Amino acid sequence: MLDINFYMKFDDVLKSIEDKKITDGQQLFDALERIRSAEPVVYNIETTNRCNMRCKMCPRTTMMTRKIEDIDRDTFIKTVEQIRPHSDEEWAEWKKYCEKKYGIREEDEPSENHFFLYVISKVIQLHGYGDPLLDKNMHTYVKILHDRGFYSYFSCNPANINLERTYQMLDAGLDYIKYSIESVDDTVHKTIRGEQSNFSESYKKIQEVLDYKHRNNLQTTVVITMLDLNRTNQQEDYEKLMHAFE
């Protein structure tokens, strides 16, 4: 989750820079130190860096040199034990800030900016360079967060959906899951994300996930997204994708 208190207070620091009240590195350091939280704030926990995709837009494909590994349960728990969710009072102040500065309310229609301000700001993000669907313990981590009052979210490649494990995640209280789909054409999809990806099988599995969610009255928000890769006919592909999930 974002340090929303730091984010809101940074406006005053920025104004001091613009007004030339802060003119050197030490003054800037001191100003930032004054608004920094004394408590740990964690936005992202990468539980695994395993990935079977070869996405052409991802630096992991060509640049990652780290060992392939998963977080261990004790490390995850020790991390979570040191942080806390936003209080109701903090969230109320954040909502007022977003409405005043950006003109965006929590109840407004979804958009990229809305997602950042009202979802990313409050969740623990559980993806990094790996695909969370390849972490067999993800449902356990989701439950740990849920039981401690945190919201959880991750983005993933739907070709990796294991229905049984996904149902466990939803049952454990997963708040948001984003499925990245780059084309309704399997050949194009493989060109972008690699041979392990597809649309046809992904679509079938997502529909089963949605059916399970509705049958069990679960609150997980399922987000379908397509990255803007500035490709030919992408708008047409996007419209077909939206039509498929109507």
Side-chain angles (χ1 to χ4, degrees):
M1 60 188 181
L2 297 179
D3 185 347
I4 57 177
N5 294 303
F6 181 92
Y7 196 105
M8 290 186 284
K9 293 174 182 176
F10 183 75
D11 282 350
D12 291 334
V13 176
L14 185 59
K15 189 174 188 309
S16 293
I17 296 173
E18 293 170 346
D19 293 344
K20 301 190 184 305
K21 294 178 180 178
I22 294 177
T23 58
D24 61 43
Q26 185 60 50
Q27 289 177 325
L28 177 58
F29 176 86
D30 293 340
L32 294 175
E33 189 67 10
R34 284 193 294 271
I35 66 173
R36 180 179 66 84
S37 171
E39 303 173 318
V41 178
V42 171
Y43 155 68
N44 173 232
I45 302 176
E46 182 189 62
T47 72
T48 184
N49 61 0
R50 300 179 187 279
C51 189
N52 57 343
M53 301 292 159
R54 293 296 180 267
C55 303
K56 66 180 185 180
M57 62 285 194
C58 180
R60 184 194 186 282
T61 301
T62 56
M63 298 175 64
M64 195 183 84
T65 57
R66 287 187 290 138
K67 182 175 73 171
I68 306 299
E69 57 186 342
D70 305 321
I71 198 171
D72 65 85
R73 188 175 183 275
D74 288 344
T75 299
F76 186 92
I77 291 175
K78 287 177 182 177
T79 301
V80 174
E81 285 177 342
Q82 296 179 64
I83 59 178
R84 64 172 179 83
H86 302 312
S87 67
D88 291 341
E89 293 75 18
E90 288 171 324
W91 191 250
E93 284 299 312
W94 176 249
K95 288 171 63 175
K96 288 193 293 185
Y97 174 84
C98 293
E99 290 171 13
K100 181 179 179 180
K101 181 167 185 177
Y102 302 108
I104 299 175
R105 302 172 302 165
E106 190 171 20
E107 60 269 25
D108 285 348
E109 286 293 314
S111 67
E112 281 294 322
N113 288 335
H114 184 278
F115 193 80
F116 174 80
L117 293 174
Y118 290 107
V119 176
I120 294 299
S121 59
K122 70 181 178 183
V123 300
I124 300 294
Q125 179 173 290
L126 295 170
H127 66 260
Y129 275 121
D131 190 327
L133 295 181
L134 299 182
D135 188 336
K136 296 179 180 179
N137 297 311
M138 183 55 69
H139 66 285
T140 300
Y141 300 141
V142 167
K143 188 174 190 314
I144 289 171
L145 291 173
H146 180 76
D147 289 348
R148 286 167 170 75
F150 291 97
Y151 293 90
S152 56
Y153 153 72
F154 62 79
S155 178
C156 59
N157 292 290
N160 286 327
I161 291 175
N162 175 296
L163 289 172
E164 181 180 355
R165 290 208 295 266
T166 298
Y167 297 160
Q168 289 177 330
M169 294 177 208
L170 269 60
D171 291 338
L174 180 64
D175 294 287
Y176 300 89
I177 184 168
K178 181 187 286 186
Y179 292 124
S180 297
I181 297 176
E182 308 316 328
S183 176
V184 296
D185 182 280
D186 284 342
T187 300
V188 174
H189 211 291
K190 291 179 184 297
T191 299
I192 298 170
R193 290 197 177 268
E195 286 299 315
Q196 296 299 316
S197 71
N198 60 61
F199 170 74
S200 300
E201 289 302 315
S202 297
Y203 178 73
K204 293 177 186 177
K205 290 180 179 179
I206 293 173
Q207 291 290 10
E208 292 191 57
V209 171
L210 291 171
D211 181 61
Y212 182 86
K213 163 185 152 71
H214 294 310
R215 280 191 288 109
N216 293 279
N217 195 30
L218 299 173
Q219 300 306 306
T220 307
T221 298
V222 178
V223 180
I224 310 297
T225 187
M226 178 180 288
L227 296 178
D228 183 2
L229 300 176
N230 194 30
R231 20 179 214 94
T232 304
N233 299 325
Q234 179 159 8
Q235 183 60 34
E236 180 183 347
D237 236 1
Y238 176 75
E239 291 171 1
K240 289 179 180 178
L241 177 63
M242 293 300 97
H243 179 69
F245 284 100
E246 286 179 350

